[in-house]
Amino acid sequence: MSIASVSTEVGPPPASPPSPAHKPKGGGFGRYLLVRFLLIIPTIFILVTVVFFLMRTTGDPITAAQGGRLTPDQLAERIHQAGYDRPLFIQYIEYLGNILRGDFGTTLSDNRPVTTILVTYGSATAELAVYALIVAFVVGIPLGMLAAYRRDRGTDASLRVFAILCYATPVFFAGLLLKLVFSVWLKVLPVAGRASTGSELQMQILPNKTGFYLIDAIQTGDSAVIADVLQHAVLPAVALGLLTAGVFLRLVRTNVIGTLSTEYVDAARSRGVGEFRLVRKHAYRPALIPIITVIGMQIALLLAGAVLTETTFEWKGLGFQLSQYLQSRDFVAVQGIVALLAVVVAVTNFLVDIIAALIDPRVRY
Amino acid sequence: MNTTAPKTEALSFKTPRTGGFFSRLPVVHQLRQSMGWQRGMLITGLVITGVFVLTALLAPLIAPYGFAQRKADSLAFGTQQPPSGEHLWGTTVGGYDVFSRVVWGSQTALFVIVIAVVFSIFLGVLLGLVSGYFGGWLDRVLVVLCDAIYAFPSLLLAIVMSIVISGGRSSMWGGILAAAISITVVFIPQYFRVIRAETVRIKAEAYVESARVVGASSSRIMFRHVLRNATRTLPLIFTLNSSEAILTLAGLGFLGFGIEPTAAAEWGFDLNKAVSDVSTGIWWTALFPGVAIVLVVLGITLVGESLNDLADPRLRGRRAVSAASGDVAETSVVPGGTLTAGPGGLDGLETPDPIGDEPGEVRS
Amino acid sequence: MTSAFTTKRRVLAAVGGAAAIALLATGCSNTSDGNDNKNAAGGTITVGTTDKVTSLDPAGAYDNGSFVVMNQIYPFLMNTPYGSPDVAPDIAESAEFTTPTEYTVKLKEGLTFANGNELTSSDVKFTFDRQLKINDPNGPASLLYNIDTIAAPDDTTVVFTLKQGNDQTFPQVLSSPAGPIVDEDTFSADAVTKDADIVKGKGFAGQYSITSYEINNLIGYKANPDYKGILGLAKNDIVNAKYYTESSNLKLDIQENNIDVAFRSLSATDIDDLKKNDKVTVVNGPGGETRYIVFNFNTMPYGATTAEADETKSLAVRQAMADLIDREEIADQVFKGTYTPLYSYVADGLTGATESLKPLYGDKKGGPDAAAAKARLEAAGVTTPVKVSIQYSNDHYGPSSGDEYALIKDQLEADGLFAVDLQTTEWVQYNKDRTTDVYPVYQLGWFPDYSDADNYLTPFFLKENFLVNHYDNPEVNDLILKQAVTPDRAERTTLIENVQDKVAADLSTLPYLQGDQIAVTGTNITGTQDTLDASFKFRYGALVKG
């Protein structure tokens, strides 16, 4: 979260002193941090529990894999052998016990350690998310400022419609169109995947593979590989990034407009600072703060979008893998991935809260 | 989630007592209030949404063929036929009429929206009231629960729910309910937090106390006041809720968890089937359902955004600001989060709260 | 191998294909392929597929995607040579019944694994012992039900003692997913071995060894010069297999010549389009996959447990459906020729396959005949329209099932003889329901474990079968059991034909389509035809580039 540093450079001080009701109710910042941190645990616990029981109502991995081939007796025998016919509660306790011991298990459908899956596919999703966020910032923030500056005029209206379109276009539809234009007609970008075969083979033999293809590509020291990896990232990053860019654009616009009408800016305005300069210098920084706080939520949105983006572009990441494991009813894998996603979202929000609290003491409990 | 505390402004909302009953109706009021581009956007949104609703209601009259019809007068339509007089938008890989399926698809979408919105409002408001009113451990549990759900990617939740809810049967109502209920689950937290914050605030108000003293049912008071004050934010969440419902339905259909073609028409499913057409130059099977999704979400979101702007004096448009009455901005919501977010939220800079946030409002 | 059908959104149509850069079509052999402009050595072939691998360990996978990989890297005792449906010794010198219950295999001399370990009878014994011991829920151990004990009297001799003598399918079983021979030093004796350990251990003695492996993304193969089996050395040096999840992406890559071969699975629309593209070649071969409708003899109209149970009427209903179904139309309209009409239970191309249903139903020439159906129903006293609900799976047998069954519904309803209520259910629930008599009439598909007619009969038409549709014809039951232990080939073939004729009259199921194997290749790839045979095993070793 590179923008975190920006956020600390808060623009104007709060216009009014915090009202008495805002006073921290005993305990200082440390206590607040602790409470926030401890709340992560129930969040994850709830999600994992819900997913555990939901998944068990949907069938078992053995029927999913062998149902079209084995007799009911054979199926029942295998299900018994795997222990899926035991009381749910016992399975649940067992599962919790394993998790507490740090054992996330081995997937049922393809016999791989869940931790390996989380690392392998997690890095892919993280890489995609970083690219998408970059696109979102690069597109969303300047355009949002432009819209605020030209508010209530044609530019503003069309930018806002553009922002809504970004959100309204399903990622898979956008992906389809992007592929058609850039891969099939113009032939300038690859259809799908994270790298071409040659590059992947080169990266696979690296001693310190990170799973972040860009870093791995740089490690190979081969500019062709780096270019190849970047080319593959363009379309997925744009498809997913625009989704978020629309949100950022609207956020920046709203908040810049809001700041422009504050006394602080009024003061600057009265000093004769030009309107464009006002937007750029005075209204923009404070307007970034709410964006940072919203990133937490954007992570959830981004991950949902990632399922579709990853599927459309063969970007083999967590979201895509999760939908595959759901289909094969691989409880263990699904639970592991859900737990990781929950941790990511919760921790992001935790960090964002800390930043927010540092900026504005009023939010503390 | 956490920081984005609903900015419950202290000033209670007063509907301007000008104009007749008609002009005080939610959307009509705002329409009169709007001007310039603002008005253009609102009207565009209203028109698109109106066309969508009408299409859905009149689908049987508009669509030349049934959604599962593959032949007329015992003559098959043929598969992947380009647009023609018979088939305005051509036919699909399954031999269905694209135009008819897009029209019928609006009906499915509308069903999902209505069910999702009704469920989420009902449950979200109820839980919000209960949670805010009674407080205590129930409140805390609900808050954490809502945070947990809200943190989770909605589409993934929808996939799980669709398997659980319909037992895997891809019937029309199975599919519709799966999408609607999963959207409900995701959106309850949104309604919940607005209503809860409002409830917590009003509970402390003097008149509730006095009403309680004179023996009026406090729950009744809660309901009336909370709902009246929440009306500013609810339409907004409502429109978001609707667009998210459509997008989730489409996403489910696209990933293959949707409704089968003989049970109902569904845009996402049709898009999924059209993926392999696109690269072979058959554009009509993907374009129309895709554009339908985009347009409807665009229309509904335009309405939602415009309403949001008009409820917020800072955003209402420069000329309109002076004309504005005492309405005060509330939580603005964008997909995935509140718009005027968080503690640094500029509302705080702009309008110092005379009363201040209730401690409970800051959700963490 | 269920996963032949599992990839949800994409067509079953088996396909393959390769593509080379258009200007290379002239045929120079030392060029790199597609995107692969870096380290592609001469003759590197890139194969794309939408298959899914679940495990490299033969004990832990019973699906088509994994079996494709195993066929490249592991040897078999018995295997199907190019172009034949029947098995012959692979790394064995000879293999035969030495007594009715003893099947003796003599290994070739001097076999080694890619890691240098010797491949001896001890490895073979280890392979089958561990299959039976591990008996993994996802594994194929159930195919080895007939093995009693295994002995390795000397380094090159293995003796299988069978529970039931003269099992004619046993040589085929040795070529099935339960048959790949593994290295006893690399694999665990009592647990499924992790892919990473297998790759590291290099216990490969098939045509290729794996040089780099990233599951369901990329597998790098290098030809194994020490392979001594019946297939001969691989005709290329390096193969990279790229795994796709969306067939549309596979299609675009083969179309743009970014990969050399696309094998399984492209949609019918894609194949139709690629046929018109002169940068690629579409190669067809016989496929073992069949699609059929199952009748539940208890709950179908007039079935044994319905209120108006009547065996004659119930048979008439099944027969009328067989009269009405238009296979040509389904194959053309829905599958665009990637499937062909099927008139019997055993897939066409296998020894013993007949066309038993053709002379019995419809216009007796393969087409539908509504008048015949009507007459049949009237003769049996069935009131029309017959109400019947048909279930199909929308996610297990490719993306076209919906269109396929919409068409079947139209065909059955065309003359008002049937009123069809069409329903679909997600696969896991589907399996629970179908085996508990919930569905009166429903769709299934089959991909064989090994290419022998028996595999199309035994699982289906014995009294105890996986369909659980309450079909019970003692005569058929006995004939099936008998053919399995009849050593005389001609006699056995006659028995197999008999079974098909008898079931065709009863209509326990109604087979209607057989899937081709289709590969799409770049124009500079040859040899595809050799491996698209009735063994239903796609061997990369047959492909030649340039």
Side-chain angles (χ1 to χ4, degrees):
Chain A
M1 226 122 313
S2 53
I3 42 127
S5 55
V6 180
S7 70
T8 49
E9 305 172 48
V10 188
S16 63
S19 55
H22 285 127
K23 273 200 188 132
K25 297 166 96 181
F29 190 53
R31 188 187 131 87
Y32 169 72
L33 280 188
L34 186 69
V35 170
R36 279 295 292 117
F37 184 75
L38 289 180
L39 275 172
I40 294 180
I41 296 166
T43 306
I44 293 164
F45 174 76
I46 289 170
L47 274 181
V48 167
T49 305
V50 167
V51 168
F52 180 93
F53 287 103
L54 277 184
M55 282 302 291
R56 309 289 147 151
T57 64
T58 61
D60 63 275
I62 292 166
T63 311
Q66 311 288 349
R69 175 154 296 269
L70 300 179
T71 66
D73 291 345
Q74 282 171 312
L75 277 180
E77 190 199 314
R78 287 176 180 217
I79 287 169
H80 177 72
Q81 195 186 332
Y84 301 145
D85 55 351
R86 291 174 303 154
L88 265 190
F89 190 68
I90 293 179
Q91 294 186 51
Y92 177 62
I93 296 295
E94 190 181 276
Y95 172 67
L96 285 186
N98 287 341
I99 283 207
L100 287 180
R101 272 185 280 117
D103 174 12
F104 283 84
T106 306
T107 63
L108 308 163
S109 57
D110 51 10
N111 193 38
R112 304 160 71 196
V114 171
T115 39
T116 311
I117 287 179
L118 296 183
V119 171
T120 315
Y121 299 115
S123 51
T125 300
E127 191 176 7
L128 177 62
V130 169
Y131 293 148
L133 275 178
I134 292 174
V135 170
F137 278 116
V138 168
V139 174
I141 291 177
L143 289 184
M145 285 165 63
L146 181 65
Y149 173 60
R150 311 272 306 169
R151 68 181 295 200
D152 300 328
R153 281 179 250 176
T155 324
D156 180 28
S158 32
L159 280 174
R160 297 182 65 193
V161 171
F162 166 75
I164 299 177
L165 278 178
C166 284
Y167 159 72
T169 311
V171 173
F172 49 86
F173 187 53
L176 208 61
L177 299 177
L178 287 172
K179 265 195 275 187
L180 195 63
V181 173
F182 292 99
S183 309
V184 180
W185 290 346
L186 301 178
K187 296 189 198 300
V188 288
L189 291 170
V191 172
R194 292 177 66 196
S196 53
T197 326
S199 311
E200 288 202 327
L201 287 174
Q202 248 180 302
M203 288 186 282
Q204 256 184 23
I205 51 172
L206 286 172
N208 305 314
K209 267 193 303 180
T210 59
F212 284 82
Y213 272 21
L214 188 55
I215 298 175
D216 290 350
I218 292 170
Q219 280 193 52
T220 63
D222 187 333
S223 59
V225 175
I226 300 174
D228 179 58
V229 166
L230 286 176
Q231 272 182 2
H232 278 81
V234 173
L235 290 186
V238 168
L240 184 55
L242 282 185
L243 185 74
T244 315
V247 178
F248 283 1
L249 195 162
R250 291 195 278 170
L251 264 174
V252 172
R253 177 186 174 276
T254 311
N255 287 293
V256 167
I257 289 176
T259 327
L260 279 176
S261 58
T262 56
E263 291 152 27
Y264 156 77
V265 174
D266 276 346
R269 195 180 275 130
S270 64
R271 288 201 309 270
V273 180
E275 193 74 5
F276 185 71
R277 197 179 150 75
L278 270 181
V279 171
R280 202 161 52 86
K281 281 278 174 197
H282 297 264
Y284 146 77
R285 277 191 185 159
L288 270 185
I289 301 167
I291 296 184
I292 290 158
T293 60
V294 165
I295 285 176
M297 255 147 285
Q298 287 310 308
I299 294 289
L301 181 73
L302 210 64
L303 289 174
V307 180
L308 293 167
T309 315
E310 286 174 3
T311 309
T312 311
F313 289 102
E314 303 276 338
W315 192 280
K316 289 171 181 156
L318 273 190
F320 164 75
Q321 212 60 34
L322 181 52
S323 71
Q324 295 284 306
Y325 282 127
L326 267 170
Q327 252 167 49
S328 48
R329 300 296 187 277
D330 193 325
F331 316 134
V332 179
V334 170
Q335 283 154 193
I337 296 177
V338 167
L340 178 73
L341 291 183
V343 169
V344 168
V345 175
V347 168
T348 317
N349 283 315
F350 173 61
L351 293 177
V352 161
D353 276 7
I354 292 175
I355 295 168
L358 285 172
I359 297 167
D360 183 353
R362 286 187 306 161
V363 286
R364 292 179 204 163
Y365 245 144
Chain B
M1 160 124 303
N2 59 26
T3 58
T4 54
K7 280 278 144 185
T8 330
E9 296 293 339
L11 301 176
S12 43
F13 179 69
K14 297 277 193 300
T15 313
R17 300 279 164 191
T18 51
F21 169 75
F22 181 70
S23 59
R24 272 189 284 127
L25 283 175
V27 174
V28 178
H29 167 67
Q30 272 99 348
L31 189 58
R32 290 167 69 100
Q33 213 182 12
S34 62
M35 49 185 62
W37 284 102
Q38 190 72 261
R39 179 172 238 167
M41 285 170 70
L42 179 55
I43 290 176
T44 313
L46 285 173
V47 168
I48 296 177
T49 313
V51 169
F52 161 64
V53 173
L54 276 181
T55 311
L57 294 178
L58 303 177
L61 300 178
I62 299 171
Y65 308 103
F67 54 80
Q69 198 176 338
R70 307 175 69 256
K71 52 172 82 172
D73 306 327
S74 74
L75 204 71
F77 294 163
T79 58
Q80 299 171 326
Q81 297 299 308
S84 66
E86 310 262 279
H87 303 286
L88 283 179
W89 293 349
T91 63
T92 70
V93 65
Y96 304 106
D97 180 57
V98 176
F99 178 65
S100 304
R101 282 193 63 86
V102 171
V103 170
W104 283 104
S106 63
Q107 206 169 52
T108 313
L110 187 64
F111 280 139
V112 172
I113 291 178
V114 170
I115 297 172
V117 168
V118 168
F119 280 11
S120 341
I121 289 192
F122 183 74
L123 288 170
V125 168
L126 193 72
L127 289 177
L129 276 174
V130 169
S131 189
Y133 191 73
F134 292 106
W137 64 268
L138 178 75
D139 183 39
R140 289 190 182 272
V141 168
L142 281 174
V143 167
V144 173
L145 192 66
C146 279
D147 268 8
I149 291 170
Y150 196 43
F152 198 64
S154 60
L155 187 65
L156 296 179
L157 198 65
I159 296 173
V160 179
M161 296 304 285
S162 76
I163 297 174
V164 175
I165 291 164
S166 60
R169 283 171 197 82
S170 311
S171 61
M172 173 170 156
W173 287 107
I176 288 177
L177 283 178
I181 292 179
S182 37
I183 282 300
T184 302
V185 172
V186 176
F187 266 81
I188 284 177
Q190 297 238 17
Y191 291 97
F192 171 84
R193 26 190 252 183
V194 171
I195 298 294
R196 180 183 164 278
E198 201 66 28
T199 311
V200 168
R201 189 179 66 77
I202 290 179
K203 199 170 77 168
E205 300 255 331
Y207 63 88
V208 176
E209 284 302 322
S210 52
R212 212 179 271 148
V213 171
V214 299
S217 149
S218 52
S219 62
R220 192 182 136 85
I221 295 168
M222 293 302 303
F223 241 106
R224 273 183 52 194
H225 289 276
V226 167
L227 286 186
R228 207 181 77 190
N229 280 287
T231 42
R232 278 164 299 166
T233 323
L234 287 188
L236 202 101
I237 306 183
F238 176 94
T239 55
L240 264 176
N241 196 342
S242 310
S243 12
E244 200 65 30
I246 293 187
L247 290 175
T248 303
L249 178 71
L252 280 178
F254 185 78
L255 289 177
F257 295 92
I259 306 170
E260 275 298 286
T262 44
E266 199 268 294
W267 296 330
F269 176 90
D270 285 358
L271 256 179
N272 177 13
K273 293 282 156 188
V275 169
S276 55
D277 295 352
V278 172
S279 65
T280 62
I282 300 169
W283 51 270
W284 55 90
T285 50
L287 187 71
F288 295 109
V291 168
I293 297 172
V294 175
L295 268 186
V296 172
V297 177
L298 175 72
I300 295 175
T301 314
L302 273 177
V303 174
E305 277 234 282
S306 306
L307 293 184
N308 180 48
D309 286 4
L310 291 167
D312 186 336
R314 291 169 306 141
L315 300 174
R316 198 172 294 145
R318 262 173 242 175
R319 282 154 298 179
V321 175
S322 53
S325 49
D327 312 17
V328 172
E330 243 285 336
T331 325
S332 306
V333 190
V334 292
T338 49
L339 194 54
T340 5
L346 296 146
D347 290 357
L349 302 175
E350 182 196 40
T351 39
D353 319 341
I355 292 178
D357 298 342
E358 291 299 322
E361 283 170 34
V362 180
R363 299 160 7 101
S364 32
Chain C
M1 258 140 278
T2 23
S3 328
F5 313 111
T6 52
T7 37
K8 182 161 191 165
R9 275 152 270 125
R10 295 299 135 207
V11 175
L12 286 185
V15 182
I21 295 174
L23 50 111
L24 302 180
T26 46
C28 32
S29 59
N30 56 349
T31 45
S32 63
D33 57 307
N35 281 341
D36 204 359
N37 44 17
K38 279 318 296 170
N39 62 344
T44 297
I45 295 179
T46 307
V47 180
T49 180
T50 60
D51 278 352
K52 241 180 98 178
V53 177
T54 60
S55 175
L56 289 182
D57 186 340
Y62 189 16
D63 60 85
N64 240 2
S66 309
F67 194 45
V68 168
V69 182
M70 289 176 201
N71 269 302
Q72 321 301 334
I73 57 176
Y74 300 120
F76 294 78
L77 295 179
M78 301 293 284
N79 209 343
T80 2
Y82 296 129
S84 159
D86 298 315
V87 290
D90 186 5
I91 55 165
E93 198 70 61
S94 67
E96 63 204 346
F97 281 101
T98 39
T99 77
T101 55
E102 280 186 340
Y103 192 75
T104 305
V105 179
K106 287 254 182 232
L107 294 177
K108 289 182 177 160
E109 297 281 344
L111 298 170
T112 54
F113 288 101
N115 56 17
N117 292 351
E118 282 182 19
L119 194 171
T120 64
S121 58
S122 155
D123 291 296
V124 175
K125 178 172 157 52
F126 171 81
T127 296
F128 292 97
D129 281 342
R130 78 185 282 270
Q131 276 280 11
L132 291 167
K133 169 133 198 246
I134 296 171
N135 191 18
D136 188 79
N138 288 319
S142 54
L143 289 171
L144 303 173
Y145 67 96
N146 202 13
I147 295 183
D148 191 13
T149 57
I150 306 154
D154 64 56
D155 266 5
T156 55
T157 311
V158 186
V159 182
F160 294 90
T161 308
L162 304 183
K163 293 174 186 156
Q164 197 190 6
N166 277 326
D167 179 357
Q168 294 308 302
T169 62
F170 191 71
Q172 290 277 2
V173 167
L174 294 178
S175 76
S176 76
I181 306 300
V182 301
D183 179 8
E184 59 183 330
D185 296 330
T186 311
F187 287 78
S188 153
D190 48 14
V192 174
T193 307
K194 299 243 182 308
D195 290 350
D197 297 334
I198 296 175
V199 173
K200 209 161 80 200
K202 290 203 176 297
F204 310 123
Q207 282 180 302
Y208 291 92
S209 55
I210 291 181
T211 51
S212 80
Y213 181 78
E214 205 180 315
I215 190 170
N216 289 326
N217 187 36
L218 183 63
I219 303 182
Y221 297 94
K222 191 164 109 350
N224 173 11
D226 299 327
Y227 172 68
K228 295 202 173 79
I230 191 171
L231 299 171
L233 291 180
K235 292 176 180 152
N236 50 52
D237 299 333
I238 293 174
V239 172
N240 294 322
K242 213 173 158 169
Y243 287 80
Y244 292 77
T245 47
E246 287 289 307
S247 75
S248 60
N249 290 327
L250 175 63
K251 189 254 176 181
L252 286 174
D253 267 350
I254 185 75
Q255 170 187 316
E256 302 299 321
N257 284 172
N258 293 334
I259 54 174
D260 298 308
V261 181
F263 178 70
R264 259 191 345 223
S265 303
L266 294 174
S267 75
T269 308
D270 291 342
I271 291 168
D272 205 37
D273 185 57
L274 290 169
K275 276 182 188 158
K276 298 174 209 143
N277 185 334
D278 52 14
K279 278 155 76 184
V280 296
T281 316
V282 178
V283 188
N284 275 51
E289 182 205 332
T290 62
R291 299 173 88 91
Y292 54 96
I293 297 173
V294 182
F295 299 99
N296 185 314
F297 278 52
N298 277 0
T299 57
M300 68 169 291
Y302 307 103
T305 57
T306 56
E308 36 192 7
D310 184 329
E311 219 166 290
T312 329
K313 286 183 178 175
S314 145
L315 178 63
V317 168
R318 294 197 295 276
Q319 291 178 328
M321 285 173 75
D323 284 331
L324 286 170
I325 200 160
D326 185 347
R327 296 172 170 84
E328 259 339 311
E329 195 186 19
I330 306 173
D332 286 354
Q333 269 218 17
V334 179
F335 295 103
K336 300 190 193 298
T338 55
Y339 279 74
T340 45
L342 174 67
Y343 297 99
S344 185
Y345 299 94
V346 177
D348 191 32
L350 291 184
T351 311
T354 61
E355 290 202 323
S356 302
L357 278 85
K358 210 174 196 173
L360 294 177
Y361 305 110
D363 63 3
K364 325 282 185 212
K365 289 188 280 271
D369 187 347
K374 193 166 186 218
R376 219 186 278 273
L377 290 174
E378 269 170 12
V382 175
T383 41
T384 55
V386 184
K387 284 204 178 84
V388 55
S389 15
I390 301 183
Q391 275 279 352
Y392 68 94
S393 162
N394 61 336
D395 58 353
H396 199 65
Y397 296 112
S400 300
S401 296
D403 301 333
E404 179 185 8
Y405 275 79
L407 184 58
I408 288 177
K409 174 180 153 88
D410 280 358
Q411 292 174 353
L412 294 177
E413 285 179 342
D415 290 271
L417 296 178
F418 285 88
V420 178
D421 173 21
L422 206 54
Q423 290 161 356
T424 175
T425 300
E426 177 278 332
W427 178 242
V428 178
Q429 187 65 37
Y430 191 83
N431 269 295
K432 294 212 161 92
D433 290 350
R434 75 169 181 84
T435 51
T436 46
D437 295 342
V438 179
Y439 306 154
V441 180
Y442 62 92
Q443 171 202 24
L444 276 185
W446 184 251
F447 193 93
D449 298 308
Y450 43 86
S451 36
D452 186 276
D454 175 78
N455 200 237
Y456 289 87
L457 301 175
T458 301
F460 296 87
F461 308 122
L462 289 181
K463 187 167 188 293
E464 299 293 325
N465 60 55
F466 93 97
L467 299 174
V468 212
N469 69 337
H470 312 290
Y471 172 68
D472 178 18
N473 183 335
E475 210 184 340
V476 168
N477 196 64
D478 295 347
L479 282 173
I480 292 177
L481 293 177
K482 192 171 169 207
Q483 62 79 25
V485 294
T486 304
D488 184 87
R489 287 191 59 118
E491 194 187 336
R492 178 164 180 247
T493 306
T494 316
L495 287 171
I496 288 171
E497 287 167 0
N498 265 337
V499 173
Q500 293 173 74
D501 289 344
K502 291 212 177 337
V503 183
D506 294 340
L507 285 173
S508 167
T509 69
L510 172 55
Y512 58 90
L513 286 183
Q514 175 173 1
D516 284 355
Q517 298 183 85
I518 300 176
V520 182
T521 71
T523 44
N524 61 342
I525 299 287
T526 53
T528 324
Q529 198 67 61
D530 297 339
T531 185
L532 287 182
D533 55 26
S535 70
F536 314 133
K537 292 178 170 185
F538 193 77
R539 280 90 169 225
Y540 301 153
L543 305 170
V544 179
K545 183 168 179 174

